[in-house]
């Protein structure tokens, strides 16, 4: 109680916090602009539409912001603000018991607007900045989410499963949290964070005087209830008021800090004991999971006792502010371990069924808390998490959710765009909400996917037999870009890990501990998330191993800055488990036995297990009598059994001592290849008295710091480091250059003193995914290389100005703020964070903007221009020269210092569009195989196709057109050749003479089809001319189309055959059959356009014309092909569904022939009672022209 009362006092820093009482016009307009217009509010009937309209007028907004602020400045209430409606809503669907209903209050919109402004814009930022908010409270805070809180719980459970230590959890929910909040305490904690006392009093007085009718499905009641004079004040806030969550976040933070101070909780320690994370639990608003361990005995009894103390203390603390546990919702779970057969296994409840947890409420009444099995889920935060890592409950929940959505969608009529919107906006976000922390198998994801695909694909007009990879593939490769459930799990899971590691806060701390603990458990000497190629089947399934397996499938890796991992100790040293995993024919169980023995003796590499001389392995390494004196924190490990030691000895001999493997048990085992000299820069965890050096000297063990990745090092020209070191002021400039045609980028930076001495420069290509290269990335790459050079050369104490001609880059780098999760999702956030991290080590480092390309605008001599301008011009010229001559590096770029973590997919560093790049890594390899097999395309031809232009063209299509175009590209249109597989007539409905194939759409002899084709070709030719495409390109392009479809060129003087020898035409014919009619173009068309590109002149009235580059003009070529197809397809369908359908005519003739056959042979073929059906006069049948349906009905 003493500590709680001390926490209510305001310290010196808190007394200086001031929040303005007066709401400005700009603040009022900003709040109303962000407000959703459809939100229900205002018992007086004034809707948010009025407030938003009022805020658009500056004078009215100024007047109303002043009028709204006056009550909070002088402590009185408006009569209109005292009206509030209690809405009774179902908390659980279909359950309408009065004590279970949820009450949401509707208040005046402007009253809510003031509270939002005061708390969201001022109180919460003050609380964050002052450190008053507990790191264990995740609700009501910017940048924190429920899924992040659940992720931290998952990390904690997985850590304790690896180290085999006891952990107990007590998820506790509060009774009517907001309804039991005490306004007096709320005011105290709000004032501690800068809110004025007049605002607190006005807010509390308004809530106390609320007059409340009740609203149900029957309407709003006429009678109201409120506090009367003499009533006992019960306190409580109104659920639905915008400050409730913030107030409880602040209040509970003080309680959580106090709880953390008084209880032991759980402690996560990494193997090196340098990272420690301790807490008593995690809370999301009113839901708190108290945690406890058993550090003394690691028994269930100690764990149950500690969790009971922790939960009881939390019950006491919340009662101080008027809260109480909802005991019927509370339960406890425990993971404790028992040795069995050389392993630790989780104890069942029957082993500690005598243990129970009892909690007293604020009145002293005890309640027994029910126990949940470790395989049963905790359903908090929208995710079903199990301590045992059981994913089955969460999978069944998501599968049932998918079936429920599928059932509703199946009976709903949707247009194509409506079905797509329902899928991407409503269905998938709901079903994949928990995917950032799930590890569903491919089979489980396939089950969810089938449920959704079987309903949505028909709604989108997609053939159910269409190859799924063509459906899931990106637009760039002609796919539909339909969401893949498997890819979404990868995108969300990898994205969550990357952003948390880059953020570098609480979850990053715990995640690093977990990864390093898993690293020690694996026994590998390379980072397990960086080197994902070796398979580790002996590791227990968990989130980290799932993440590693998915990275391996994507050919990806994550490089974590300053992560710990074991190193090799001497020459010819190897990881024990890495070597054993490569043995042919070894089983998973054998590897598990070997790993248990290795962990028991606490070694990682064979050098740590072998003798000091490195020539043999002593016999006591194989019987459990020897254990290394390791400084690392190892997982608890029981003594292995005799058969496990025998198997371990056999495997070690197979791997390292194969030549003389028949040594007797109890004798030393000679190694095939003796180990070499010891590495002086290796990290060691075993205490040796001495070790062997190259000269056979024995010296004492030395301690070395962590080994980190090297930073980027580019070749520097004209380095004058001595001159730079002797100067106080340095002027620097960096510029980047990018060519979208060749997809190359490079940068150049220069450093001089203020007296223009000591010129130092560097040029280098930008090494990243060419698809996502742009000038923005090139500018940042140059600035980062420059700042890194200044830092590594000891120039951090100089006055440095960095000039750049990209104003957006300069503005971003001058905003010195700690990035949030949302900031890290922006393009190039990794490199921006790296630059800012390094910039903080400088005494004075300024980023300034200089106007670029000034030499293009005037003829001022170069020497007369200012120094920054001259440097910028020189950097621009050098960057362009480097870009033209550079060759794409084959190795991946080195990770960036200060980024926290770097994701690689293949050899490409991912710095932007992470979700899209993960999708490409997952689907493009399969799509490439499908394209090569379907079109018999070679690797060389595939790489020469301009896929980027095809992707741009598809992005400009409407959804239904994009889907139809994908089906056209890969031959899945609903034409005759497809109908043949369904047992239907495959004849062309337009000409009736041939099987309807896709190429037949262009070669059909039907007059309407030919006329449409001729007209379309002439039209697209005119469009290409308007787009500024030169005749030397569009003439052979149109000519090749005419050659493929068998029509004459629109230009009668153009000879198709004489121009077919051109390079672009020949290249086009070599990539695949009929490629040009599908919109699949060779890159030579773009190269030709780039060579002949000229700026388009302005119009006659002087207006500038949009200048299309070569890539945009290539898109125009593709759009021209697809326009021809769309016209042909529309004409074909018009004939198919009209009276000119040759199939209908043929079908009617066949039916008339059958009718006449029945008429002429009615005595043989028909019963006497049916003769009247064929006795119509033949003239009626011919003259009246019976319809096909009437004829079919008679037959």
């Amino acid at each position: 109680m003493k500590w709680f009362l001390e926490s209510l006092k305001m310290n010196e820093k808190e007394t200086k916090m001031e929040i303005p009482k007066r709401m400005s016009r700009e603040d009022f307009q900003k709040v109303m602009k962000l407000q959703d217009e459809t939100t229900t509010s205002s018992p007086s009937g004034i809707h948010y539409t009025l407030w938003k309209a009022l805020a658009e007028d500056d004078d009215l907004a100024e007047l109303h912001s002043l009028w709204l602020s006056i009550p909070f400045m002088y402590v009185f209430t408006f009569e209109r603000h005292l009206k509030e409606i209690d809405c009774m809503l179902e908390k659980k669907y279909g359950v309408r018991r009065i004590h279970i209903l949820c009450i949401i209050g509707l208040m005046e919109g402007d009253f809510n607007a003031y509270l939002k402004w005061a708390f969201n814009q001022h109180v919460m930022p003050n609380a964050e900045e002052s450190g008053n908010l507990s790191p264990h409270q995740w609700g009501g805070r910017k940048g924190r989410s429920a899924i992040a809180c659940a992720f931290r719980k998952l990390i904690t459970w997985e850590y304790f499963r690896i180290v085999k230590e006891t952990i107990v959890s007590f998820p506790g929910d509060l009774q009517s949290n907001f309804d039991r909040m005490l306004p007096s305490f709320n005011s105290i904690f709000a004032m501690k964070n800068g809110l004025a006392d007049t605002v607190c009093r006005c807010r509390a007085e308004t809530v106390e005087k609320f007059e409340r009718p009740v609203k149900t499905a029957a309407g709003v009641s006429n009678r109201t209830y409120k506090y009367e004079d003499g009533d006992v004040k019960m306190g409580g806030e109104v659920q639905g008021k915008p400050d409730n969550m913030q107030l409880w976040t602040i209040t509970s933070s003080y309680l959580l800090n106090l709880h953390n101070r008084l209880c032991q909780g759980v402690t996560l320690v990494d193997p090196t004991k340098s990272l420690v994370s301790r807490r008593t639990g995690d809370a999301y608003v009113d839901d708190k999971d108290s945690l406890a361990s058993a550090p003394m005995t690691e028994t269930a009894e100690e764990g149950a006792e500690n969790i009971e103390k922790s939960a009881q203390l939390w019950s006491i603390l919340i009662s101080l502010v008027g809260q109480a546990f909802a005991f019927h919702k509370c339960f406890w779970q425990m993971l404790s371990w028992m040795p069995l057969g050389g392993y630790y296994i989780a104890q069942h409840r029957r082993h500690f069924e005598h243990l129970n947890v009892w909690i007293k409420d604020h009145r002293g009444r005890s309640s027994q808390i029910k126990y949940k099995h470790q395989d049963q889920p905790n359903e908090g935060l929208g995710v079903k998490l199990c301590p045992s890592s059981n994913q089955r409950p969460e999978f069944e929940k998501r599968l049932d959710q998918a079936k429920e959505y599928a059932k509703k969608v199946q009976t709903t009529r949707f247009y194509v765009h409506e079905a797509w919107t329902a899928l991407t906006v409503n269905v998938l976000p709901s079903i994949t909400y928990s995917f950032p922390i799930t590890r569903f198998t491919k089979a489980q994801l396939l089950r969810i996917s089938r449920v959704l695909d079987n309903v949505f694909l028909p709604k989108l007009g997609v053939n159910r037999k269409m190859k799924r990879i063509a459906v899931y593939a990106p637009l760039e490769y002609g796919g539909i870009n339909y969401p893949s459930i498997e890819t979404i799990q990868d995108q969300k899971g990898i994205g969550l890990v990357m952003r948390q590691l880059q953020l570098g806060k609480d979850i990053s701390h715990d995640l690093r501990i977990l990864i390093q603990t898993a690293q020690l458990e694996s026994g590998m000497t390379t980072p397990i998330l960086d080197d994902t190629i070796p398979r580790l089947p002996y590791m227990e399934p968990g989130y980290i191993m799932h993440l590693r397996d998915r990275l391996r499938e994507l050919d990806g890796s994550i490089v974590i800055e300053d992560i710990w991992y074991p190193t090799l100790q001497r020459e010819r040293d190897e990881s024990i488990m890495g070597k054993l995993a490569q043995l042919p024919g070894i089983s998973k169980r054998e590897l598990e036995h070997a790993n248990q023995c290795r962990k028991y003796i606490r070694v990682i590499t064979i050098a740590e297990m072998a003798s000091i001389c490195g020539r043999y392995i002593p016999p006591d390494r194989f019987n459990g009598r020897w254990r290394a004196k390791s400084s690392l924190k190892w997982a608890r490990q029981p003594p292995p059994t005799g058969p496990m030691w025998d198997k371990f000895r056999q495997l070690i001999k197979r791997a390292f001592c194969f030549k003389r493997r028949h040594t007797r048990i109890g004798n030393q085992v000679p190694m095939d290849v003796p180990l070499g000299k010891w590495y002086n820069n290796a990290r060691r965890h075993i205490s040796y008295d001495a070790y062997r050096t190259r000269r056979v000297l024995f010296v004492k063990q030395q301690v070395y710091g962590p080994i980190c990745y090297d930073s980027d090092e580019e070749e520097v020209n004209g380095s004058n480091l001595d001159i730079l070191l002797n100067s106080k002021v340095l002027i620097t400039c960096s510029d980047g250059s990018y060519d979208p045609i060749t997809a190359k980028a490079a940068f150049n930076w220069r450093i001089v003193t203020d007296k223009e001495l000591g010129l130092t420069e560097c040029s280098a290509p930008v090494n990243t995914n060419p698809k996502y290269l742009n000038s923005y990335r090139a500018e940042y790459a140059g600035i980062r290389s420059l700042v890194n050079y200044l830092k590594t050369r000891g120039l951090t104490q100089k006055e440095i100005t960095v000039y750049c001609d990209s104003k957006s880059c300069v503005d971003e780098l001058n905003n010195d703020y700690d990035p949030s999760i949302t900031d890290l999702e922006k393009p190039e956030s990794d490199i921006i964070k790296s630059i800012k991290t390094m910039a903080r080590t400088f005494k004075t480092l300024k980023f300034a903007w200089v106007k670029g390309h000034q030499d293009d605008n005037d003829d001022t001599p170069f020497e007369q221009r200012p120094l920054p301008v001259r440097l910028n011009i020189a950097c621009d010229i050098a960057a362009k020269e480097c870009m033209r001559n550079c060759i794409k590096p084959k190795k991946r770029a080195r990770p960036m210092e200060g980024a926290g973590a770097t994701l690689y997919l293949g050899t490409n560093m991912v710095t932007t569009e992470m979700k899209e790049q993960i999708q490409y890594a997952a689907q493009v390899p399969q799509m490439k195989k499908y394209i090569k097999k379907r079109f018999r395309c070679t690797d060389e031809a595939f790489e020469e196709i301009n896929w980027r232009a095809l992707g741009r063209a598809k992005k400009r299509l409407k959804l239904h057109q994009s889907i139809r175009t994908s089906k056209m590209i890969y031959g899945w249109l609903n034409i005759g050749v497809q109908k043949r597989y369904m047992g239907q007539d495959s004849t062309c409905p337009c000409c009736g003479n041939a099987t309807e194939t896709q190429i037949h759409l262009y070669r059909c002899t039907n007059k309407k089809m030919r006329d449409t084709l001729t007209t379309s070709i002439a039209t697209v030719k005119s469009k290409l001319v308007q787009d500024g495409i030169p005749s030397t390109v569009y003439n052979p392009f149109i000519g090749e189309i005419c050659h493929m479809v068998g029509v004459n060129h629109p230009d009668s003087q153009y000879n198709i055959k004489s121009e077919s020898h051109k390079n672009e035409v020949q290249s086009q014919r070599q990539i695949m059959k009929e490629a040009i009619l599908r919109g699949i173009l060779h890159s030579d068309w773009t190269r030709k356009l780039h060579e002949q590109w000229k700026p388009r002149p302005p119009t006659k009235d002087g207006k500038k014309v949009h200048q299309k580059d070569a890539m945009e003009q290539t898109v125009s070529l593709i759009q021209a092909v697809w326009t021809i197809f769309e016209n042909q397809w529309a004409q074909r369908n018009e004939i198919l569904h009209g009276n000119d359908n040759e199939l209908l005519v043929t079908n009617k003739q066949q039916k008339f022939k059958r009718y006449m056959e029945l008429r002429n042979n009615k005595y043989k073929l028909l019963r006497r009672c049916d003769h009247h059906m064929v006795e119509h006069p033949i003239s009626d049948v011919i003259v009246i022209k019976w319809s096909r349906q009437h004829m079919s009905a008679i037959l």
Side-chain angles (χ1 to χ4, degrees), residues 558-573:
I558 295 177
V559 179
I560 306 172
E561 190 174 357
D562 295 332
I563 198 71
W564 173 86
Y565 60 94
T567 58
L568 301 178
Q569 302 296 302
R570 55 199 300 181
E571 291 180 352
R572 297 185 287 278
D573 191 12

Side-chain angles (χ1 to χ4, degrees), residues 3 13 159 166 347 459 571 587-588 681 734 957 968 1039:
W3 288 336
K13 185 177 182 180
Y159 171 83
T166 300
Q347 284 185 322
K459 300 284 185 183
E571 291 180 352
S587 68
K588 175 184 175 181
N681 62 343
S734 175
L957 296 176
M968 180 270 292

Side-chain angles (χ1 to χ4, degrees), residues 145 326 879 921:
S145 62

Side-chain angles (χ1 to χ4, degrees), residues 773-827:
L773 264 178
N774 50 44
S775 57
Y776 191 63
R777 176 72 171 85
E779 297 285 358
Y780 277 126
I783 295 174
R784 188 199 168 277
S785 175
L786 169 61
V787 175
N788 183 57
Y789 178 85
L790 295 170
K791 178 176 179 290
T792 55
R793 297 306 186 274
L795 300 171
T796 57
Q797 300 303 311
K798 310 295 180 181
E799 294 183 12
I800 303 172
T801 304
V802 179
Y803 285 95
C804 175
D805 60 7
S806 174
K807 197 167 189 314
S808 59
C809 293
V810 172
D811 293 341
E812 180 64 36
L813 294 176
N814 282 328
N815 289 331
D816 190 13
Y817 60 90
D818 290 331
S820 64
I821 286 288
T822 53
D823 295 327
L824 292 174
E825 293 177 356
K826 296 178 181 178

Side-chain angles (χ1 to χ4, degrees), residues 501-664:
L501 287 172
Q502 291 170 350
L503 191 62
K505 294 186 179 179
D506 306 302
I507 294 181
S508 172
H509 197 69
D510 291 359
L511 191 54
R512 284 174 172 270
I513 293 175
L514 176 62
I515 292 172
Q516 294 180 179
T517 303
Q519 177 79 52
L520 181 60
E521 182 78 4
S522 69
M524 304 300 291
T525 54
T526 53
I528 56 174
L529 294 185
D530 185 3
D531 182 13
T532 59
I533 297 176
R535 296 183 179 273
L536 309 177
Y538 54 89
M539 292 287 288
E540 291 185 13
Y543 188 84
I544 297 301
M545 287 300 105
H546 166 78
L547 177 66
R548 186 177 185 274
D549 292 342
R550 293 311 304 157
L551 286 171
R552 182 174 61 251
E553 290 287 330
L554 299 173
D555 189 23
S557 59
I558 295 177
V559 179
I560 306 172
E561 190 174 357
D562 295 332
I563 198 71
W564 173 86
Y565 60 94
T567 58
L568 301 178
Q569 302 296 302
R570 55 199 300 181
E571 291 180 352
R572 297 185 287 278
D573 191 12
E574 289 186 77
S575 163
I576 294 174
M577 295 310 301
K579 184 72 172 179
L580 297 185
Q582 298 175 6
L583 294 177
I586 191 169
S587 68
K588 175 184 175 181
R589 191 62 174 171
E590 289 175 332
L591 287 173
E592 289 174 348
H593 287 343
N595 197 38
Q596 296 298 107
C597 296
R598 177 194 68 83
K599 291 189 297 181
Y600 184 77
I601 62 177
R602 298 176 179 173
V603 296
I604 300 171
T605 68
I606 193 64
E608 298 167 353
M609 188 176 177
S611 60
I612 293 294
C613 64
R615 298 182 178 276
Y616 63 89
I617 301 176
D620 57 356
R621 271 52 166 178
F622 302 111
N623 53 24
R625 298 176 183 172
W626 175 85
R627 301 183 78 181
K629 299 178 181 178
S630 174
S631 61
L632 299 178
K633 181 184 183 302
W634 292 77
R636 295 173 63 228
Q637 176 62 43
T641 62
M644 292 172 66
W645 284 116
D646 294 340
K647 180 57 65 177
F648 181 58
R649 188 173 188 272
Q650 293 174 14
L651 295 178
I652 291 293
K653 290 168 70 175
R654 278 181 61 189
F656 301 100
C657 313
F658 186 75
K659 294 180 181 178
R660 304 172 71 177
R661 63 186 183 277
H662 298 298
T663 55
R664 298 178 61 182

Side-chain angles (χ1 to χ4, degrees), residues 352-508:
F352 52 88
E353 59 184 358
H354 60 286
L355 300 177
N356 291 300
V357 173
W358 292 82
I359 305 295
K360 293 182 179 179
D361 63 10
H362 58 288
R363 292 190 177 93
R365 295 175 299 190
S366 296
S367 297
Q368 182 177 344
I369 308 301
K370 63 183 176 182
Y371 176 81
K372 261 193 179 182
H373 192 268
Q374 59 203 18
D375 280 334
Q376 292 180 316
N378 174 8
E379 301 183 27
L381 304 174
V383 186
K384 292 188 174 183
L385 287 178
C386 298
S388 63
S389 79
N390 178 23
Q391 294 270 295
R392 189 72 186 176
E394 178 64 19
F395 166 70
E396 290 176 349
K397 174 183 177 181
R398 299 304 165 187
L399 182 61
D400 292 342
Q401 201 173 6
K403 290 179 179 178
E404 186 66 27
Y405 276 119
K407 184 179 178 181
K408 294 178 180 178
V409 172
Q410 184 72 42
T411 57
T412 306
R413 296 185 63 183
F414 279 136
Y415 291 107
V416 172
H417 69 278
E418 292 174 336
W420 185 268
T421 302
L423 175 67
T424 56
V425 177
N426 299 99
V427 177
L428 285 180
S430 178
I431 293 176
T432 62
Y433 165 77
S434 64
F435 276 23
I437 59 175
T438 58
R439 51 182 183 85
F440 296 151
T441 63
K442 287 186 177 182
Q444 290 175 325
L445 294 171
L446 182 60
R447 288 184 63 186
I448 297 175
S449 180
R450 281 175 178 168
V451 172
L452 297 177
D453 293 356
N454 290 342
V455 172
F456 278 99
L457 288 181
K459 300 284 185 183
L460 297 172
V462 178
N463 190 329
R464 63 186 179 90
K465 294 293 185 180
M466 187 173 178
K467 280 288 184 180
R468 284 296 182 266
I469 185 57
V471 175
Y472 295 141
L475 298 176
E476 185 168 320
Y477 291 89
I480 297 177
N481 203 28
Y482 182 85
S484 167
I485 294 293
E486 183 178 346
T487 304
I488 291 174
Q489 180 173 255
D490 292 338
Q491 290 170 333
K492 292 196 169 188
I494 295 174
L496 177 65
V497 171
M498 284 299 302
R499 296 316 178 202
Q500 292 295 346
L501 287 172
Q502 291 170 350
L503 191 62
K505 294 186 179 179
D506 306 302
I507 294 181
S508 172

